[in-house]
CSV table of all heavy atoms in Angstrom, one decimal:
chain,number,residue,atom,x,y,z
A,59,ILE,N,191.7,-40.2,37.1
A,59,ILE,CA,190.4,-40.0,36.4
A,59,ILE,C,189.3,-39.5,37.3
A,59,ILE,O,188.6,-38.5,36.9
A,59,ILE,CB,190.0,-41.5,35.9
A,59,ILE,CG1,191.0,-42.1,35.0
A,59,ILE,CG2,188.6,-41.4,35.3
A,59,ILE,CD1,190.9,-41.4,33.6
A,60,ASN,N,189.3,-39.9,38.6
A,60,ASN,CA,188.4,-39.4,39.5
A,60,ASN,C,188.5,-37.8,39.7
A,60,ASN,O,187.6,-37.1,39.8
A,60,ASN,CB,188.4,-40.0,40.9
A,60,ASN,CG,188.0,-41.4,40.8
A,60,ASN,OD1,187.4,-41.8,39.8
A,60,ASN,ND2,188.4,-42.2,41.7
A,61,GLN,N,189.8,-37.4,39.7
A,61,GLN,CA,190.1,-35.9,40.0
A,61,GLN,C,189.7,-35.1,38.6
A,61,GLN,O,189.1,-34.1,38.8
A,61,GLN,CB,191.6,-35.8,40.2
A,61,GLN,CG,191.9,-34.3,40.5
A,61,GLN,CD,193.4,-34.1,40.8
A,61,GLN,OE1,194.2,-35.0,40.9
A,61,GLN,NE2,193.8,-32.8,41.0
A,62,LEU,N,189.9,-35.6,37.5
A,62,LEU,CA,189.6,-35.0,36.3
A,62,LEU,C,188.0,-34.9,36.2
A,62,LEU,O,187.5,-33.8,35.8
A,62,LEU,CB,190.1,-35.8,35.1
A,62,LEU,CG,191.6,-35.7,34.9
A,62,LEU,CD1,192.1,-36.6,33.8
A,62,LEU,CD2,192.1,-34.3,34.7
A,63,ILE,N,187.3,-36.0,36.4
A,63,ILE,CA,186.0,-35.9,36.4
A,63,ILE,C,185.4,-34.9,37.3
A,63,ILE,O,184.5,-34.1,37.2
A,63,ILE,CB,185.3,-37.2,36.6
A,63,ILE,CG1,185.8,-38.1,35.4
A,63,ILE,CG2,183.7,-37.3,36.8
A,63,ILE,CD1,185.3,-39.6,35.5
A,64,SER,N,185.9,-35.0,38.7
A,64,SER,CA,185.3,-34.1,39.8
A,64,SER,C,185.6,-32.5,39.3
A,64,SER,O,184.9,-31.7,40.0
A,64,SER,CB,186.0,-34.5,41.0
A,64,SER,OG,187.3,-34.0,41.0
A,65,ALA,N,186.4,-32.2,38.4
A,65,ALA,CA,186.5,-30.8,38.1
A,65,ALA,C,185.3,-30.2,37.3
A,65,ALA,O,185.1,-28.9,37.5
A,65,ALA,CB,187.7,-30.7,37.1
A,66,ASN,N,184.5,-31.2,36.9
A,66,ASN,CA,183.2,-30.7,36.4
A,66,ASN,C,183.2,-29.6,35.2
A,66,ASN,O,182.6,-28.6,35.2
A,66,ASN,CB,182.2,-30.3,37.3
A,66,ASN,CG,180.8,-30.3,37.0
A,66,ASN,OD1,180.4,-31.1,36.0
A,66,ASN,ND2,179.9,-29.5,37.5
A,67,LYS,N,184.2,-29.8,34.3
A,67,LYS,CA,184.6,-28.8,33.3
A,67,LYS,C,184.5,-29.5,31.9
A,67,LYS,O,184.6,-30.8,31.8
A,67,LYS,CB,186.0,-28.3,33.4
A,67,LYS,CG,186.3,-27.6,34.6
A,67,LYS,CD,185.5,-26.2,34.7
A,67,LYS,CE,185.7,-25.5,36.0
A,67,LYS,NZ,185.0,-24.4,36.1
A,68,ASP,N,184.2,-28.9,30.8
A,68,ASP,CA,184.2,-29.5,29.5
A,68,ASP,C,185.5,-30.0,29.0
A,68,ASP,O,185.7,-31.1,28.4
A,68,ASP,CB,183.7,-28.5,28.4
A,68,ASP,CG,182.3,-28.1,28.6
A,68,ASP,OD1,181.5,-28.9,29.3
A,68,ASP,OD2,181.8,-27.2,28.2
A,69,ILE,N,186.6,-29.3,29.4
A,69,ILE,CA,187.9,-29.7,29.1
A,69,ILE,C,188.8,-29.5,30.4
A,69,ILE,O,188.7,-28.3,30.9
A,69,ILE,CB,188.5,-29.0,28.0
A,69,ILE,CG1,187.7,-29.2,26.7
A,69,ILE,CG2,190.0,-29.3,27.7
A,69,ILE,CD1,188.1,-28.2,25.4
A,70,THR,N,189.6,-30.5,30.8
A,70,THR,CA,190.4,-30.4,31.9
A,70,THR,C,191.7,-31.1,31.7
A,70,THR,O,191.8,-31.9,30.8
A,70,THR,CB,189.7,-30.7,33.2
A,70,THR,OG1,190.6,-30.3,34.3
A,70,THR,CG2,189.5,-32.3,33.1
A,71,SER,N,192.8,-30.8,32.5
A,71,SER,CA,194.0,-31.4,32.4
A,71,SER,C,194.6,-31.5,33.8
A,71,SER,O,194.0,-31.0,34.7
A,71,SER,CB,194.9,-30.5,31.5
A,71,SER,OG,196.2,-31.3,31.3
A,72,ASN,N,195.7,-32.3,33.8
A,72,ASN,CA,196.2,-32.5,35.2
A,72,ASN,C,197.8,-32.5,35.0
A,72,ASN,O,198.3,-32.5,33.8
A,72,ASN,CB,195.9,-33.9,35.6
A,72,ASN,CG,195.8,-34.0,37.1
A,72,ASN,OD1,196.2,-33.0,37.8
A,72,ASN,ND2,195.1,-34.9,37.7
Side-chain angles (χ1 to χ4, degrees):
I59 299 291
N60 294 343
Q61 182 177 357
L62 292 169
I63 292 170
S64 71
N66 199 29
K67 301 288 182 186
D68 290 338
I69 299 174
T70 188
S71 184
N72 214 347

